[in-house]
């Protein structure tokens, strides 16, 4: 609608006003003398032909300081034809400004990568887009992220990610000294590898410039920290940040994108039923068992958790619900050994047996700001912009190097 109001004159006014005042950061990389770089900068100034943009008008990115707690934010796809949903689990770790925290988080992300893909993609066939990695900004805390895109409901994907996170600590612990040393040496080799192009060199220098930190020795510091690192440092960091049972300031956001054809959980459902029951309900619904209500299913799971026997629970489900509502073809599919319904039942029974819903998180004061909690203590984010407005901001990055102008004009 707004495109119809755009004219050549309005575009010309925008171009003219946009460059009235400017502030530029320039890096010149390649076979240049210092005088060539200075001439390049002055040419840019002449071409722009603008006044300096004062410091108070310059825009600086500020990183949101998420208050410790476990949050869930979900939305529904606008494209009704799309069958895929997604789950993104983000867990906040150490400070981006600490060289030791940076290399530890990088190593944890590296260790997570292949096993996470192997479990969710190769073995469980939960989608083509599956990865675990690290995300960071110029300040604030780094993040370990676990992403899975699939036709399976996002609650189920999040549950499987939880399973991976619970089990991977033992995998880290089981690394031999030789395996850990090889892992560290591989990271050192990456950081000391010869740059392949001028573009790579420019990128390496531009990172500390763009963030405003001007820490040009960051690779040297990280390599020094890697040489001092032990497996116990990784386990300590895992327990400090990633393990919900030990992390004092545990901070995590579960982001879920639900396809239109899935049963999208409203706030009332999230605050009434455990995520594991919502996951099982979604699996049943996707297999055509739409007659089973979630309240009825929750009562069944609570009763079945008393014996905590997956095979007996599946038999009871088949007798009570499947035989009444499922076709013969559907019944054969959902009772196979590799059925996701069996896994969803197992996760629901374990969840109820652990009684995690009894320990509601009291982190933060979001209850007074119209935010609900799930049974297991997650804060439900309805409006992401309002949620961010409640949080504090990290300070701007402070330069590691004192900058003194060499040229003033």
């Amino acid at each position: 609608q707004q495109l119809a109001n755009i004219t050549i004159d309005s575009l010309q006014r925008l171009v003219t006003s946009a460059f009235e005042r400017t502030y530029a950061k320039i890096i010149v990389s390649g076979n240049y003398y210092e005088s060539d770089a200075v001439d390049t900068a002055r040419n840019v100034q002449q071409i722009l032909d603008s006044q300096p943009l004062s410091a108070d008008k310059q825009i600086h990115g500020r990183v949101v300081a998420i208050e410790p707690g476990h949050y869930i934010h979900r939305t529904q796809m606008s494209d009704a034809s799309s069958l895929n949903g997604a789950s993104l689990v983000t867990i906040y770790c150490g400070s981006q400004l600490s060289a030791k925290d940076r290399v530890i988080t990088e190593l944890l992300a590296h260790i997570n990568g292949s096993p996470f893909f192997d479990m969710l993609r190769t073995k469980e066939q939960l989608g083509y887009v599956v990865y675990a990695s690290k995300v960071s900004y110029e300040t604030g805390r780094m993040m370990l992220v676990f992403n899975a895109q699939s036709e399976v409901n996002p609650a189920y994907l999040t549950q499987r990610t939880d399973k991976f996170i619970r089990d991977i600590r033992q995998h880290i612990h089981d690394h031999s000294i030789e395996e850990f040393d090889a892992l560290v040496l591989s990271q050192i080799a990456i950081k000391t590898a010869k740059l392949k192009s001028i573009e790579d060199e420019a990128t390496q220098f531009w990172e500390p410039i763009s963030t405003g930190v001007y820490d040009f020795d960051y690779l040297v510091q990280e390599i020094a920290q890697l040489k001092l690192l032990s497996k116990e440092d990784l386990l300590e960091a895992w327990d400090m940040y990633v393990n919900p049972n030990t992390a004092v300031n545990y901070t995590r956001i579960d982001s879920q994108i639900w396809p239109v054809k899935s049963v999208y959980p409203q706030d009332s459902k999230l605050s009434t039923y455990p995520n594991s029951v919502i996951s099982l309900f979604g699996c049943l619904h996707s297999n055509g068992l739409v007659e089973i209500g979630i309240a009825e299913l929750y009562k069944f799971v609570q009763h079945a958790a008393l014996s905590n026997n997956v095979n007996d629970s599946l038999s009871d489900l088949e007798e009570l619900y499947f035989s009444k509502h499922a076709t013969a073809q559907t019944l054969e599919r959902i009772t196979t050994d590799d059925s996701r319904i069996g896994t969803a039942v197992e996760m629901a029974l374990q969840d109820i047996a652990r009684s995690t819903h009894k320990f509601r998180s009291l982190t933060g004061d979001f209850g007074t700001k119209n935010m609900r909690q799930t049974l297991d203590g997650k804060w439900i984010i309805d409006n992401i912009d309002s949620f961010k407005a409640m949080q504090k901001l990290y300070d701007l990055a402070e330069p590691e190097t004192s900058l003194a102008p060499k040229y003033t004009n």
Side-chain angles (χ1 to χ4, degrees):
Q1 294 177 349
Q2 296 300 321
L3 286 175
N5 299 324
I6 297 177
T7 65
I8 295 295
D9 290 340
S10 64
L11 286 175
Q12 186 59 52
R13 288 194 299 270
L14 174 63
V15 170
T16 302
S17 61
F19 295 98
E20 285 181 351
R21 294 182 178 275
T22 58
Y23 171 77
K25 284 184 178 181
I26 302 172
I27 182 172
V28 179
S29 182
N31 190 20
Y32 294 99
Y33 290 109
E34 181 179 339
S35 58
D36 296 329
V38 174
D39 288 342
T40 299
R42 286 172 176 165
N43 285 337
V44 171
Q45 288 180 315
Q46 291 174 2
I47 292 170
L48 289 174
D49 190 25
S50 58
Q51 296 296 315
L53 184 67
S54 59
D56 62 310
K57 295 294 192 300
Q58 296 170 21
I59 298 176
H60 300 281
R62 297 284 297 276
V63 179
V64 177
I66 303 296
E67 189 169 343
H70 194 159
Y71 308 93
I72 179 169
H73 176 248
R74 73 268 181 273
T75 187
Q76 197 165 28
M77 290 282 291
S78 57
D79 184 1
S81 64
S82 177
L83 301 177
N84 281 303
S87 165
L88 176 65
V89 172
T90 302
I91 300 177
Y92 287 76
C93 299
S95 170
Q96 168 64 16
L97 300 179
S98 165
K100 182 178 181 178
D101 286 351
R102 289 199 301 270
V103 296
I104 287 176
T105 308
E106 285 178 358
L107 277 172
L108 290 176
H110 180 77
I111 291 172
N112 291 335
S114 294
F116 186 67
F117 183 89
D118 182 60
M119 173 180 163
L120 269 71
R121 172 69 184 95
T122 306
K123 294 178 180 177
E124 301 188 13
Q125 296 290 300
L126 287 177
Y128 288 101
V129 181
V130 175
Y131 64 85
S133 62
K134 183 205 82 167
V135 175
S136 61
Y137 301 102
E138 57 266 25
T139 59
R141 297 170 64 183
M142 292 168 290
M143 295 153 275
L144 290 175
V145 297
F146 304 85
N147 186 295
Q149 178 181 316
S150 173
E151 294 183 11
V152 181
N153 74 81
Y156 182 93
L157 296 176
T158 303
Q159 289 283 106
R160 300 312 292 159
T161 301
D162 282 337
K163 163 72 173 169
F164 173 83
I165 292 172
R166 284 196 300 270
D167 293 347
I168 194 63
R169 187 191 188 281
Q170 187 62 44
H171 173 72
I172 299 172
H173 180 272
D174 290 343
H175 273 66
S176 66
I177 295 177
E178 293 77 17
E179 289 172 331
F180 180 79
D181 289 344
L183 183 64
V184 169
L185 288 175
S186 69
Q187 292 297 302
I188 292 176
I190 292 173
K191 295 181 183 297
T192 57
K194 185 177 179 180
L195 298 173
K196 298 180 180 180
S197 66
I198 293 176
E199 181 182 1
D200 290 341
E201 181 183 59
T203 301
Q204 182 173 302
F205 281 112
W206 183 250
E207 182 174 344
I209 294 173
S210 63
T211 60
V213 177
Y214 299 103
D215 181 11
F216 297 104
D217 293 329
Y218 71 97
L219 283 178
V220 175
Q221 297 172 15
E222 290 177 1
I223 292 169
Q225 289 296 330
L226 279 169
K227 292 178 179 179
L228 298 173
L229 213 59
S230 67
K231 183 176 69 175
E232 286 67 31
D233 291 323
L234 293 190
L235 293 172
E236 181 181 346
W238 189 268
D239 290 337
M240 182 180 297
Y241 301 116
V242 186
N243 186 345
N245 297 321
T246 57
V248 177
N249 293 314
Y250 186 65
T251 310
R252 167 174 163 172
I253 299 178
D254 296 342
S255 303
Q256 299 176 352
I257 301 176
W258 289 72
V260 173
K261 295 183 180 180
S262 293
V263 185
Y264 182 73
Q266 302 297 330
D267 284 3
S268 57
K269 296 289 192 297
L270 285 176
S271 57
T272 304
Y273 306 108
N275 188 61
S276 57
V277 174
I278 294 174
S279 165
L280 174 59
F281 182 69
C283 289
L284 295 174
H285 191 276
S286 65
N287 280 279
L289 297 165
V290 297
E291 293 84 359
I292 305 175
I294 191 169
E296 185 180 10
L297 181 64
Y298 184 31
K299 290 180 181 179
F300 171 85
V301 172
Q302 286 179 306
H303 178 75
L306 297 175
S307 60
N308 199 20
N309 188 298
V310 177
N311 291 330
D312 289 347
S313 299
L314 282 171
S315 298
D316 292 341
L317 267 177
E318 181 179 347
E319 180 180 349
L320 293 173
Y321 302 112
F322 299 169
S323 58
K324 296 179 182 178
H325 304 301
T327 64
Q329 183 179 8
T330 301
L331 185 60
E332 181 181 359
R333 183 174 69 252
I334 63 182
T335 53
T336 58
D337 291 338
D338 61 349
S339 169
R340 294 191 181 105
I341 289 180
T343 303
V345 168
E346 180 181 9
M347 292 190 297
L349 296 182
Q350 292 174 348
D351 188 31
I352 299 299
R354 284 195 297 263
S355 299
T356 55
H357 60 283
K358 292 183 179 179
F359 304 98
R360 293 173 63 88
S361 170
L362 299 178
T363 304
D365 189 26
F366 301 115
T368 62
K369 299 175 182 177
N370 299 320
M371 287 182 66
R372 295 189 186 187
Q373 273 187 295
T374 64
L375 279 178
D376 50 0
K378 302 180 185 72
W379 289 104
I380 303 170
I381 302 174
D382 283 325
N383 186 303
I384 191 66
D385 292 327
S386 298
F387 173 72
K388 289 193 292 186
M390 298 178 192
Q391 312 296 321
K392 297 178 181 179
L393 297 175
Y394 283 105
D395 293 334
L396 293 174
E398 295 185 4
E400 291 284 333
T401 302
S402 179
L403 300 181
K406 188 174 182 179
Y407 303 94
T408 57
N409 52 52

